[in-house]
């Protein structure tokens, strides 16, 4: 797992953390983007 | 007058020496820091040497900087020469001391300010509570059983406890605005790329901002002009715009509206936050209420980018020294390392869309008003937060209202409303268009003059405050 060996307890905590991130990311992933929508890796106001 | 400027004026008038001010400030910090745990390192030798240099300049009749003799302190992710830059971590304890000061520290030194030491924070700035497992929790001077907020918790608690009149911190998703709200101070998160990040330990390159914490009558514009003034360093510093919007413009107050709302503000903000926003809006004649439909999506983008970039920064070290990381963040870092690259790219594209939509929202308004935190300071150790009938993890949710705004780099001044819930203050965000900090400072000053906002030292620490 990303180059790490984790025991089952750590794996369970990681799974919970990942579930939280997935839930938090959902509103962004739900936004449709088209080919013209470029990323903003470094934001320039 | 602002305590920092008052100190400088008294020193300039030879009513007190810089050495005496530094000695008193160090004594106060040594005596009271154990109560709040704001400092992780006091630097008495450095402070006394810098103060003596100020007094020597006075004796020689030389010109003084605007902050001559003013004590300050830095979040411990900024390089201070001779001190290991911890960024709140155990992992970095063994790294060599910084060879020189970070860029903003050097500017403060040129202005004559006297560095007292380094301040506690969430490990690697990944948190909103400063419940640091390695160095202990920083406590809220308004109620020592409660969190100071984070990740710049030490920076804010040190000012709220009257240990220093000025500190610098960083804000990626709310790390200045959240603790400023919980401690009742003015917090300044400038436009993204306004201030140099040179000589500071990074967290999320796409989102990291440097900013300041100010007490009553903070006059932060003068400070920001000094820090943004010359020769900025770093790829994410806008050299062409560093001084724009910090001058003596903005003689009028802006047109203010409540928002950006979306689901977040409309439904989630409990009474204390809503009442504080209403008080600020009423004082500013906030006529309208706007909705930023992409607020939730922008927060989600910032969350995703933070998870991934933070993880990428630490993954090599996590592979060998996992057990030395803060238990409160290690799972989140590992989870971030597992996010698909496509998600992160998508989040960056959504962030650009959200910024474009916000430009349309702000076309008719100069200042938007929103809560800084959903609630006042919570008890240390509290894990969950009840908001709008939902049970949410507290450490991730304190940035509910700050994260969307920093996600698109807009400038924000957090203004404090005292006694929002019992003895506890809460903050309100004044959100501006890019590079309009001067207007936000003027708006904050008007709120202070109207008695709506104030940022005194916490009552239990008021006697003898620096």
């Amino acid at each position: 797992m990303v180059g790490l060996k984790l025991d089952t307890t750590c794996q369970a905590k990681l799974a919970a953390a990942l579930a939280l991130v997935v839930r938090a990311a959902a509103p962004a992933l739900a936004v449709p983007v088209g080919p013209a929508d470029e990323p903003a890796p470094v934001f320039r106001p | 007058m602002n305590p920092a400027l008052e100190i400088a004026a008294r020193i300039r008038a030879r009513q007190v020496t810089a050495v005496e001010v530094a000695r008193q400030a160090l004594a106060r910090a040594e005596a009271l820091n154990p109560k709040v745990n704001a400092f992780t390192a006091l630097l008495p030798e450095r402070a006394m040497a810098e103060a003596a240099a100020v007094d020597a300049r006075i004796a020689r009749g030389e010109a003084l900087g605007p902050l001559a003799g003013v004590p300050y302190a830095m979040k411990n992710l900024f390089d201070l020469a001779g001190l290991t830059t911890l960024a709140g971590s155990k992992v970095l304890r063994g790294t060599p001391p910084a060879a020189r000061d970070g860029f903003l520290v050097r500017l403060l030194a040129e202005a004559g300010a006297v560095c007292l030491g380094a301040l506690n924070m969430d490990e690697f700035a990944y948190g909103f509570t400063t419940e640091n497992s390695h160095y202990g929790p920083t406590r809220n001077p308004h109620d020592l059983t409660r969190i100071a907020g984070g990740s710049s918790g030490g920076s804010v608690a040190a000012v709220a406890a009257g240990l220093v009149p000025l500190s610098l911190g960083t804000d990626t998703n709310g790390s200045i605005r959240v603790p400023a709200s919980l401690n009742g101070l003015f917090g300044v998160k400038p436009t993204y790329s306004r201030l140099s990040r040179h000589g500071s330990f990074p967290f999320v390159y796409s989102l990291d901002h440097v900013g300041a914490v100010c007490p009553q009558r903070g006059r932060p514009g003068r400070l920001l002009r000094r820090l943004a003034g010359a020769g900025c360093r770093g790829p994410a510093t806008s050299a062409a715009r560093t001084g724009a919007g910090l001058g003596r413009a903005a003689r009028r107050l802006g047109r203010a509206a409540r928002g950006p709302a979306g689901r977040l503000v409309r439904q989630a903000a409990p009474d204390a936050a809503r009442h504080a926003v209403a008080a600020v809006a009423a004082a500013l004649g906030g006529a309208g209420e706007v909705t930023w439909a992409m607020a939730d999506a922008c927060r989600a983008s910032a969350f995703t980018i933070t998870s991934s970039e933070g993880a990428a920064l630490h993954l090599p070290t996590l592979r060998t020294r996992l057990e030395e990381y803060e238990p409160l963040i290690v799972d989140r870092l590992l989870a971030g390392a597992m996010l698909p690259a496509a998600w992160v790219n998508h989040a960056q594209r959504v962030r650009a869309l959200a910024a474009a939509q916000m430009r349309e929202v702000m076309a008719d308004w100069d200042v938007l008003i929103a809560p800084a935190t959903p609630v006042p300071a919570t008890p240390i150790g509290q894990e969950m937060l009840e908001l709008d009938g939902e049970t949410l993890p507290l450490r991730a949710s304190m940035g509910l209202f700050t994260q969307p705004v920093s996600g698109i780099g807009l400038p924000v001044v957090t203004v404090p409303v005292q006694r929002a819930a019992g003895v506890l203050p809460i903050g309100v965000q004044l959100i501006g268009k890019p590079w309009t900090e001067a207007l936000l400072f003027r708006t904050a000053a008007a709120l202070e003059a109207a008695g709506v906002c104030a940022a005194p030292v916490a009552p239990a620490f008021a006697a003898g405050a620096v």
Side-chain angles (χ1 to χ4, degrees):
Chain A
M1 191 177 292
V2 294
L4 283 158
K5 288 181 181 173
L6 301 174
D7 61 32
T8 50
T9 306
C10 289
Q11 285 182 25
K13 289 165 72 176
L14 172 55
L18 188 57
L20 174 64
V21 178
V22 169
R23 197 163 63 245
L29 298 175
V31 176
V33 291
D37 297 322
E38 297 192 13
V42 175
F43 180 74
R44 300 290 183 190
Chain B
M1 183 186 283
N2 163 260
L5 299 180
E6 186 177 338
I7 290 169
R10 289 177 59 220
I11 290 172
R12 190 173 286 106
R14 301 194 181 206
Q15 294 170 359
V16 64
T17 65
V19 163
E20 185 55 30
V21 169
R23 189 176 289 130
Q24 288 178 8
L26 284 165
R28 180 175 168 84
E30 283 172 3
L32 296 182
N33 186 57
K35 290 187 177 180
V36 291
N37 194 32
F39 280 89
T40 51
L42 281 170
L43 301 172
E45 289 183 13
R46 174 179 177 139
M48 295 309 292
E50 289 182 333
V54 170
D55 288 338
R57 291 182 73 89
I58 293 173
R60 293 193 297 268
E62 295 176 3
L64 296 174
L67 297 174
V70 174
Y72 75 99
M74 299 293 281
K75 187 175 184 177
N76 74 20
L77 55 61
F78 290 98
D79 286 349
L80 295 171
L83 193 70
T84 293
T85 305
L86 293 172
S89 75
K90 183 178 174 184
V91 167
L92 295 180
R93 272 184 197 163
T95 55
R100 64 185 306 201
D101 290 337
F103 182 70
L104 296 184
V105 180
R106 295 205 295 276
L107 289 185
L108 286 167
E110 286 172 16
V114 172
C115 183
L116 252 56
L119 299 160
N120 201 13
M121 57 182 284
D122 287 291
E123 183 173 72
F124 295 122
Y126 206 172
F128 288 124
T129 63
T130 313
E131 294 167 293
N132 188 304
S133 298
H134 311 307
Y135 305 100
T138 294
R139 297 178 180 277
N140 191 311
H142 291 271
D143 179 343
L144 295 172
T145 68
R146 293 175 184 267
I147 59 170
S151 66
S152 305
S155 301
V156 177
V159 176
L163 306 184
V164 287
L166 171 68
S167 68
L168 259 56
T170 55
D171 187 317
T172 302
N173 290 301
S175 283
I176 288 173
R177 290 164 288 159
V178 167
S181 172
L182 303 189
N183 290 270
L185 295 174
F186 292 98
V188 181
K189 186 208 76 63
T191 308
Y192 180 81
S193 78
R194 167 77 82 176
L195 297 185
S196 171
R197 303 189 307 218
H198 176 271
S200 64
F201 197 89
F203 174 28
V204 179
Y205 299 110
S206 297
L207 300 170
D208 287 346
H209 302 65
V210 176
V213 179
C214 303
Q216 199 165 24
R217 300 187 193 283
R219 302 289 295 274
R222 186 179 296 193
L223 168 68
L224 217 56
R225 274 199 300 278
R226 188 81 195 180
L227 296 178
C232 289
R233 302 282 188 274
T237 307
S238 291
R241 302 298 301 270
T242 50
L246 295 176
R248 292 165 187 78
R251 288 299 176 206
R252 64 181 176 82
L253 294 183
R255 297 158 297 167
R258 289 193 221 184
R263 182 185 66 84
L264 298 177
V265 176
R266 283 178 191 278
Q267 297 177 8
D271 284 350
R274 270 209 302 271
H275 291 161
V277 166
V280 168
L284 295 177
E289 183 163 344
V290 300
T291 299
W292 179 28
M294 290 191 73
D296 294 358
C298 192
R299 180 184 180 238
S301 294
F303 201 105
T304 306
I305 294 161
T306 296
S307 298
S308 177
E309 282 196 31
L313 184 67
H314 291 284
L315 188 56
T317 319
L318 283 165
R319 287 191 173 119
T320 57
R321 302 174 68 179
L322 184 72
E323 68 286 351
E324 294 177 64
Y325 272 77
E326 164 68 75
L328 294 172
I329 73 165
V330 69
D331 300 324
R332 285 190 283 164
L333 285 173
L334 291 175
M338 300 176 70
L339 290 185
W343 287 20
V344 182
N345 183 268
H346 189 97
Q348 290 285 16
R349 296 162 77 192
V350 170
R351 190 162 71 109
L353 289 173
Q357 190 183 73
M358 179 56 104
R359 278 193 290 276
E360 291 176 14
V361 169
M362 291 201 80
D364 295 328
W365 305 100
D366 297 309
V367 179
L368 299 186
I369 306 162
T373 51
V375 293
T378 50
I380 290 171
Q382 183 173 322
E383 297 282 343
M384 306 303 286
L385 195 59
E386 294 287 333
L387 285 178
D388 193 32
E390 234 182 312
T391 303
L392 301 168
L394 182 143
R395 293 187 183 92
S397 302
M398 273 295 191
L400 200 60
F401 303 134
T402 53
Q403 205 162 5
V405 184
S406 42
I408 56 170
L410 299 180
V412 182
V413 171
T414 301
V415 295
V417 174
Q418 299 295 329
R419 297 191 170 276
V423 300
L424 299 174
I426 198 166
V428 173
Q429 294 185 93
L430 304 178
I431 303 161
K433 297 170 184 170
W435 315 110
T436 62
E437 284 88 342
L439 179 61
L440 299 181
F441 297 152
R442 189 163 179 80
T443 306
L447 289 166
E448 192 177 27
V452 176
C453 297
V457 167
F461 291 83
V466 176

